[in-house]
Amino acid sequence: MRVLLVDDDPVFLQSAARLLAPEAGFTVVGRARTGAEAIEQAGALSPDLVLMDVEMPDMDGLETTRRLKALPIPPRVLLVSIY
């Protein structure tokens, strides 16, 4: 499964990538710090899954999800929060 990680916290991005790396079947194909970056990268990379924080500086995870679902090949989205 090709995964795009999205969070404005670089520590979370690094931790999530490290946790997924040894798991069979997961490949981190990109990392984004904003919703806009997530949409751009999802369009270019066609991930199977977007693992995304709910709270981000430019748009929240729900709005980003709506926009991701409008892509020609929409990925699955899993929203998380460290709150």
Side-chain angles (χ1 to χ4, degrees), residues 20-76:
L20 290 175
E23 297 299 323
F26 288 99
T27 302
V28 176
V29 295
R31 299 176 191 190
R33 302 275 310 265
T34 67
E37 285 179 16
I39 295 161
E40 180 181 329
Q41 287 191 34
L45 301 171
S46 298
D48 301 305
L49 174 69
V50 175
L51 179 60
M52 177 171 44
D53 188 13
V54 173
E55 294 295 324
M56 290 181 295
D58 63 338
M59 70 179 88
D60 67 22
L62 297 175
E63 179 59 29
T64 304
T65 298
R66 284 186 201 93
R67 295 182 188 195
L68 288 169
K69 292 301 181 181
L71 292 172
I73 302 172
R76 293 179 193 106

